[in-house]
Amino acid sequence: MKLSTEHVEAIAPDQKSLAAASKLLKMNKWPQLAQGPEGLIWGSCQGSGANPYRVVADTTDLWYKCTCPSRKFPCKHALALFWLFAEKCESFAQGQDPPEWATEAVGRRRKGNAKADPKEKKADPSKSIAKASAAGQSEPKAKKKAPSKVKQAATRESAIQASYELENWIGDQLRSGLSQLLKDPASHCRRIAARLVDHKASALAGRVDELPARLLCLPNEESLDALVAELSKWILLCRAFRNAPDREDLQRDFMRSESRDQLLENPIAPRVQSHWEVLGTQHNTRRDGLVQQSTWLLNLRESKKARVALLLDFFPASSGARGSSFTSGEQFYAELCFYPAPLLQRAVIVEREACSELLTWPEQPTLEREDPLHNWSETLLRIPWAAQAPVRLGPGRLVNHKSRGWWLASKGGWTIALAQAASLGQEALAYRDAWGVWDGCSLELLRLVEAEEHAA
Amino acid sequence: MKSQTQALLPALDAILDQIKSGWLMGDPLLPLLPTQWQEAACPPNRKKGAKAGDESELRILALVGQYQSIVGRPPKHPLQARPVLPTLDYPSLEGKARALFVRCIKQQPGSTNDLLRLMAARGYSSHPLDWMPKSERDEVPELYQPWIAWLLSTNAEQLKDLSEDNWNNLSTPLRRARLRSLLRKDRAQARSVIMKCTPKLGASEREKIIGLLLPDAEMEDLECLRVFIKDRSARVREQVHAILNLLGASYELPDGADDSVQHEQFKELVQMLVLREGRLQAKRLPDKKKSRLSGGLWTTDPRELAKHFDLTLRQLAQTWHFEQNKMATNSLIRSFVHRGLIKEVMPLLCKLAKQADGRSDPNFLDHLSPEQHHKLIRLVVQRADVSFWEIASWSGDALGSLPFDMLHKSPAFKDLQFDLINSKKVGHEATHVDSLMLKLGLVVDHQGAAKFIEELKDLEVSSLHPALQNLHLNAALPPRREPPFSFA
């Protein structure tokens, strides 16, 4: 079947979807577009999140799958992919093997739900490609109205009030004994988190809400230390915010982050062009029903400014499991825009390009070789309330001990508790190097590099 | 300066432990603090909204938390890493083939062993992060024996070659695993270790260790076997006799008692059989006796059996009515096979290959020569009622070696085509058709796999269909070594 715009028109759920899809027809929105065997096409579409959405579709029967959480079927990304193929099929790289995520999506596909020929559908005059294209060209992009200064001041004042509330709450916990809080952290934290949300301190509320889950993962004997460390950070954050409520990084940790567009328009947001490697992706289902997807990138060119970048994405847990747009170990060139902060870490991708050259990791600094958690201390010295930091571990092994996994460094005999037990295969190998994320209590491994004698 | 600070840390830790205990119970903080700390903790003027006493507590809490995070490192645990995994004879899969293997075992965990055999036949092993044996009882290709030994070991010392010196340091299963490896690497050394170390063990362990000699028994093993011919355990003696019979070696029985016991057992065995209208078959027996018959057939020399019924060995195999009692048939075949009487049992194997159903368990394939195995597989493939399930089960170590032409013309593929077309007509996918395509991916050779993917695409099966996973993996495994045998 030769795909045409009539097909796209026929499968669109409504005119609004077509209009939304028309805005995605610019090639710079699609870092990846390719076609494979038997009419399969796929691409990555840069949406509002840090990670692009992945769309795979079959042009023979108009089947599609997109990683976005939209409840419209097809979503604007799938419609745009079909539309682009109908009009600019030469822009799709040819003869490529479908990537793992596309193959998996096709593998899970049930043949029974293949669409009937859309031409058999009755023409719906309310949907038109022509109208959508025209609307896309003529309507200027309506900008969100910036909140007024009075409103901003009121929000800030409310957040400052939240900081006092939280400190009072911590004082209450100390007076009644932290054992009470440790006995039932969920209900205690829920109540204060709700009050913080009322006072516009949503980011801090999210952090408070996550505390019970963190404590539950730890052995009993470690939970008091973890609680003390976290309460300490909240106090420091509250005081820092009260001292400088206009600082962007503090507002981000206390209230809410700026949007991708706001960040890209910020002239002081640092941009770094480099060769990056994906270290790994973490998924964390939060109590507010969102899944936080954290993708860590390593700057392969020596850089003191931005050594590691963190891409954050959020999507509703109810939209189902979603794979990462990145594969661990994948390398690419990209321009990243960093959220301004004393330590550059969180970023969004501005532009991304495939690379043919593969680089190795930069040499590990001496201080890190002596102490794998050196970067954690450095992070805390700059951001005392930091919840986690990426750490490079150097050579070592994985060991399971008392049903808990440990990193055992080859040099210095450092042992670092892991968030999860190691698999048998992981325990069997020696590693030349590794990266993980340390949260003060346990380490989540991101990427392990096998020692050469075991490299495939 | 640094050492001075280090010296202060234990005292500081003791104070902090006291403070944290106070917080845990809700005790007031100030009495717990050293005097100079109390001054530092008390604020000159209290902040807005904070309650009295809170400020100093919060300040101390903030400092303690930071101290813990930066100075208080996780304590070092005296952990011992396992020995590093031994490397295998074949390299592990890489790139696309590795990803395909991972997907295959994720979606068909029941076929893992078949996939490992296919990979081993082509000269590849699994990457330890993708798959590893979990217990010494796992039935895995011989290639993975060093990993089994690793599983059973607790230190690198135990992974050294087995010798009389380290024999006592190893657990019983690990000894067997190390012995199995040594028998492959240096059989003479293995025999020497068996002769010196085994007599001290218990009977059942001696029996298991002698059993390790059975698969590749050779005339050089005679000296070792003769050590055990007068063993104090009847079961060990029986096993040694079976191996000596297999080798065609002469031996003297230790005493007459055994002879009479054997005679009695033989008498009981032949009473359970009947030769009627040119067919030798088992009588109708209760279950208990059935298993005695089966055990007896395995230990009895088929030459004696043939002699008793006045038949030649070939006639015995030809006249055996195998449909009557499957368990007894398997035992009889094993008895032939383990005594090296393969040629003589071939008529029975051919009959079995022509008629056996999918439930038959051809566990004798390892003992056949390539030519004999070819002959059987050809018979199986040509059968009209056979599916790729049976073909895979009769392929044994010949997985991934059947040529495209042979399979393409087979009734099994015709049936598959028919089922595929039918399932399309009905409009839903049939699970059994998927399973047949998966089995096809295991039996066909490397070039044939790519051809079958094209062939199935013509039958409107998408090349990304999960049922073609094994074919894709097969096509991504170019042979790194000569296949055990070739049908080309």
Side-chain angles (χ1 to χ4, degrees):
Chain A
M1 177 176 81
K2 173 90 177 81
L3 191 73
S4 69
T5 47
E6 283 168 30
H7 290 115
V8 183
E9 213 169 62
I11 59 168
D14 52 35
Q15 182 62 32
K16 273 187 183 170
S17 300
L18 277 175
S22 74
K23 289 173 191 160
L24 299 175
L25 297 181
K26 289 174 195 155
M27 295 311 290
N28 63 0
K29 291 268 181 196
W30 295 85
Q32 185 193 20
L33 274 176
Q35 55 181 311
E38 302 168 43
L40 200 71
I41 54 174
W42 62 92
S44 307
C45 180
Q46 188 61 62
S48 53
N51 293 335
Y53 296 122
R54 289 166 156 186
V55 203
V56 55
D58 187 338
T59 55
T60 56
D61 58 2
L62 301 187
W63 168 87
Y64 55 86
K65 182 83 189 158
C66 179
T67 56
C68 79
S70 168
R71 293 182 193 280
K72 285 194 176 179
F73 302 102
C75 63
K76 61 182 179 181
H77 310 104
L79 281 177
L81 185 74
F82 281 127
W83 194 340
L84 274 171
F85 190 73
E87 289 189 340
K88 297 178 193 167
C89 68
E90 67 284 354
S91 317
F92 287 67
Q94 285 190 357
Q96 296 202 355
D97 273 344
E100 178 82 13
W101 58 267
T103 320
E104 265 185 22
V106 176
R108 281 199 299 270
R109 170 187 182 185
R110 280 167 301 173
K111 285 279 175 184
N113 67 4
K115 297 270 183 293
D117 187 347
K119 281 193 172 172
E120 287 170 17
K121 276 191 176 180
K122 279 185 187 171
D124 180 355
S126 68
K127 295 182 288 173
S128 149
I129 286 262
K131 267 199 276 176
S133 308
Q137 282 160 11
S138 60
E139 277 173 27
K141 200 175 171 186
K143 278 202 171 179
K144 265 192 180 174
K145 209 176 164 186
S148 71
K149 282 195 175 165
V150 178
K151 201 173 170 191
Q152 278 179 353
T155 308
R156 205 166 42 231
E157 197 49 44
S158 180
I160 289 172
Q161 199 52 45
S163 73
Y164 285 119
E165 283 238 17
L166 183 63
E167 283 195 357
N168 284 341
W169 179 83
I170 295 172
D172 290 345
Q173 303 312 310
L174 291 176
R175 262 192 308 281
S176 54
L178 293 182
S179 57
Q180 297 299 316
L181 175 58
L182 285 170
K183 214 181 274 175
D184 181 15
S187 66
H188 280 81
C189 291
R190 190 83 271 231
R191 279 197 292 274
I192 181 66
R195 289 219 295 275
L196 294 175
V197 170
D198 292 344
H199 283 297
K200 317 287 184 203
S202 326
L204 183 60
R207 188 163 170 173
V208 171
D209 229 359
E210 291 309 308
L211 177 67
R214 281 192 59 200
L215 293 177
L216 280 173
C217 294
L218 295 172
N220 282 343
E221 64 272 18
E222 289 178 25
S223 52
L224 176 63
D225 283 348
L227 178 62
V228 167
E230 188 62 11
L231 295 179
S232 144
K233 287 174 187 169
W234 295 351
I235 296 168
L236 292 167
L237 176 58
C238 285
R239 288 171 185 221
F241 179 70
R242 287 203 297 266
N243 282 337
D246 292 328
R247 241 173 70 179
E248 284 167 328
D249 60 314
L250 290 168
Q251 288 189 350
R252 206 176 299 132
D253 288 339
F254 213 86
M255 300 194 289
R256 57 184 301 241
S257 291
E258 50 272 54
S259 70
R260 179 188 162 85
D261 289 342
Q262 283 169 329
L263 176 71
L264 294 177
E265 282 167 14
N266 186 346
I268 62 156
R271 294 189 177 213
V272 178
Q273 275 185 330
S274 190
H275 190 134
W276 303 91
E277 177 174 316
V278 179
L279 288 175
T281 303
Q282 300 169 287
H283 287 93
N284 175 29
T285 306
R286 307 189 328 170
R287 282 196 56 165
D288 57 8
L290 285 179
V291 175
Q292 178 179 313
Q293 184 175 286
S294 317
T295 305
W296 295 89
L297 305 179
L298 173 66
N299 190 343
L300 294 171
R301 305 225 183 264
E302 291 287 348
S303 163
K304 285 190 179 158
K305 195 172 161 194
R307 192 175 171 211
V308 175
L310 169 64
L311 309 178
L312 277 186
D313 248 330
F314 301 91
F315 55 89
S318 55
S319 66
R322 181 134 56 111
S324 164
S325 318
F326 302 101
T327 319
S328 180
E330 176 187 2
Q331 293 191 6
F332 53 83
Y333 302 120
E335 183 185 1
L336 262 54
C337 181
F338 282 84
Y339 287 78
L343 183 73
L344 294 187
Q345 189 159 291
R346 192 176 162 191
V348 295
I349 292 183
V350 182
E351 253 183 320
R352 174 182 167 181
E353 263 178 64
C355 68
S356 49
E357 179 196 15
L358 288 181
L359 298 185
T360 52
W361 292 358
E363 204 178 320
Q364 193 179 17
T366 319
L367 284 170
E368 264 182 30
R369 276 204 296 266
E370 285 166 9
D371 171 10
L373 297 182
H374 172 75
N375 199 41
W376 168 244
S377 308
E378 286 289 299
T379 305
L380 288 180
L381 289 174
R382 293 196 203 178
I383 311 171
W385 48 90
Q388 56 180 19
V391 290
R392 186 169 174 183
L393 301 163
R397 300 285 307 273
L398 291 174
V399 182
N400 280 327
H401 178 66
K402 293 185 179 167
S403 62
R404 194 171 188 195
W406 296 82
W407 172 264
L408 173 59
S410 302
K411 288 174 195 163
W414 287 97
T415 51
I416 299 172
L418 301 181
Q420 282 180 319
S423 71
L424 197 58
Q426 285 179 323
E427 268 197 286
L429 300 172
Y431 300 98
R432 181 157 50 86
D433 218 333
W435 274 93
V437 180
W438 174 252
D439 66 0
C441 298
S442 61
L443 180 97
E444 188 167 342
L445 285 166
L446 288 175
R447 187 149 156 69
L448 291 161
V449 181
E450 288 162 43
E452 265 156 291
E453 61 268 30
H454 293 284
Chain B
M1 181 69 188
K2 198 177 174 186
S3 59
Q4 275 180 350
T5 317
Q6 292 288 334
L8 287 174
L9 292 183
L12 188 57
D13 283 339
I15 298 172
L16 295 185
D17 282 345
Q18 226 177 340
I19 294 174
K20 282 189 281 184
S21 305
W23 280 333
L24 196 62
M25 304 317 295
D27 295 339
L29 173 73
L30 286 175
L32 300 171
L33 292 180
T35 326
Q36 60 272 44
W37 285 41
Q38 289 183 11
E39 286 164 19
C42 284
N45 39 18
R46 201 155 46 89
K47 297 280 186 256
K48 182 176 102 181
K51 288 175 193 167
D54 273 4
E55 181 58 23
S56 50
E57 298 240 5
L58 294 180
R59 281 177 169 216
I60 295 291
L61 177 59
L63 287 172
V64 171
Q66 282 297 295
Y67 168 82
Q68 266 185 198
S69 300
I70 296 178
V71 186
R73 281 281 188 263
K76 287 184 186 179
H77 287 259
L79 298 179
Q80 177 74 46
R82 277 169 168 267
V84 174
L85 193 70
T87 44
L88 300 181
D89 290 346
Y90 301 147
S92 57
L93 291 180
E94 286 178 55
K96 187 182 171 188
R98 185 175 168 190
L100 284 166
F101 172 66
V102 171
R103 208 179 306 153
C104 285
I105 54 172
K106 207 163 122 190
Q107 296 198 359
Q108 344 147 31
S111 299
T112 304
N113 201 20
D114 286 342
L115 292 163
L116 292 171
R117 278 162 56 216
L118 170 68
M119 279 156 49
R122 296 273 167 83
Y124 299 94
S125 65
S126 152
H127 190 283
L129 291 179
D130 302 335
W131 175 87
M132 277 203 63
K134 292 202 170 49
S135 135
E136 78 273 17
R137 287 181 296 276
D138 284 2
E139 279 186 27
V140 294
E142 193 62 22
L143 166 70
Y144 295 96
Q145 277 309 320
W147 285 7
I148 298 272
W150 176 86
L151 265 182
L152 300 167
S153 61
T154 50
N155 59 53
E157 218 27 52
Q158 295 179 335
L159 285 175
K160 286 187 180 164
D161 274 351
L162 186 69
S163 68
E164 295 156 54
D165 302 332
N166 63 8
W167 176 270
N168 287 328
N169 302 335
L170 309 182
S171 64
T172 315
L174 182 56
R175 269 182 208 154
R176 281 202 298 272
R178 302 306 298 140
L179 195 54
R180 209 177 278 128
S181 301
L182 192 62
L183 278 164
R184 279 191 303 136
K185 261 171 73 178
D186 184 352
R187 203 168 173 94
Q189 169 65 13
R191 280 193 297 260
S192 150
V193 173
I194 293 176
M195 284 194 286
K196 283 177 185 149
C197 303
T198 310
K200 297 167 206 159
L201 301 175
S204 73
E205 191 51 29
R206 285 203 306 280
E207 189 189 349
K208 282 177 190 162
I209 286 186
I210 302 296
L212 295 178
L213 289 170
L214 185 62
D216 299 305
E218 56 186 32
M219 288 310 274
E220 282 76 15
D221 296 339
L222 278 182
E223 190 195 339
C224 174
L225 289 166
R226 284 195 174 120
V227 171
F228 298 97
I229 204 159
K230 293 178 184 174
D231 194 275
R232 51 193 187 275
S233 153
R235 288 172 68 91
V236 174
R237 287 197 301 271
E238 207 173 274
Q239 192 169 32
V240 173
H241 297 164
I243 303 175
L244 290 170
N245 277 337
L246 164 68
L247 293 171
S250 62
Y251 56 91
E252 283 173 19
L253 288 172
D255 50 47
D258 253 0
D259 205 12
S260 67
V261 170
Q262 280 193 339
H263 184 72
E264 282 303 309
Q265 283 172 348
F266 185 74
K267 224 169 110 182
E268 187 194 19
L269 175 77
V270 293
Q271 277 173 0
M272 290 190 269
L273 301 171
V274 59
L275 183 64
R276 190 183 295 152
E277 296 167 6
R279 291 205 303 187
L280 184 62
Q281 63 188 65
K283 287 180 185 168
R284 283 182 187 279
L285 298 167
D287 284 350
K288 247 190 187 174
K289 280 209 165 181
K290 264 187 191 171
S291 74
R292 282 181 71 83
L293 169 66
S294 159
L297 278 172
W298 149 229
T299 48
T300 302
D301 188 337
R303 284 168 285 218
E304 281 182 50
L305 203 61
K307 201 170 145 194
H308 176 85
F309 287 104
D310 204 14
L311 299 167
T312 62
L313 272 176
R314 246 185 129 69
Q315 281 169 335
L316 173 68
Q318 267 166 347
T319 56
W320 181 258
H321 184 40
F322 63 87
E323 284 159 21
Q324 189 76 16
N325 187 334
K326 286 202 174 83
M327 218 158 71
T329 305
N330 277 338
S331 293
L332 183 69
I333 291 173
R334 279 171 70 190
S335 159
F336 267 88
V337 167
H338 285 141
R339 286 168 178 82
L341 306 170
I342 308 284
K343 248 193 221 168
E344 289 77 0
V345 80
M346 273 310 272
L348 175 58
L349 297 185
C350 290
K351 272 205 290 182
L352 209 59
K354 282 182 197 162
Q355 291 175 40
D357 56 26
R359 284 167 296 164
S360 60
D361 173 25
N363 56 5
F364 44 80
L365 297 172
D366 294 351
H367 301 276
L368 305 183
S369 70
E371 294 72 26
Q372 288 162 338
H373 196 173
H374 279 194
K375 190 174 170 186
L376 291 186
I377 294 184
R378 277 184 198 285
L379 290 171
V380 173
V381 172
Q382 283 161 10
R383 271 169 51 186
D385 61 336
V386 86
S387 77
F388 285 113
W389 275 89
E390 281 95 73
I391 296 176
S393 132
W394 281 80
S395 289
D397 283 340
L399 274 185
S401 68
L402 306 189
F404 175 79
D405 290 339
M406 181 180 176
L407 292 172
H408 191 250
K409 286 179 207 152
S410 70
F413 187 65
K414 300 265 179 314
D415 287 349
L416 174 62
Q417 282 174 313
F418 180 78
D419 288 347
L420 263 174
I421 293 163
N422 263 357
S423 69
K424 293 262 180 253
K425 273 186 200 160
V426 180
H428 63 80
E429 290 179 47
T431 321
H432 87 276
V433 181
D434 289 357
S435 72
L436 293 177
M437 288 193 279
L438 288 171
K439 288 286 172 190
L440 171 63
L442 289 173
V443 296
V444 68
D445 65 13
H446 172 243
Q447 288 165 335
K451 288 184 190 169
F452 269 119
I453 292 172
E454 290 304 314
E455 189 79 12
L456 290 166
K457 262 161 73 177
D458 293 344
L459 291 167
E460 293 183 24
V461 181
S462 160
S463 67
L464 298 171
H465 195 290
L468 301 195
Q469 277 173 354
N470 289 356
L471 280 168
H472 282 293
L473 173 65
N474 190 328
L477 295 175
R480 274 193 66 257
R481 68 176 193 121
E482 282 291 305
F485 47 81
S486 162
F487 284 82

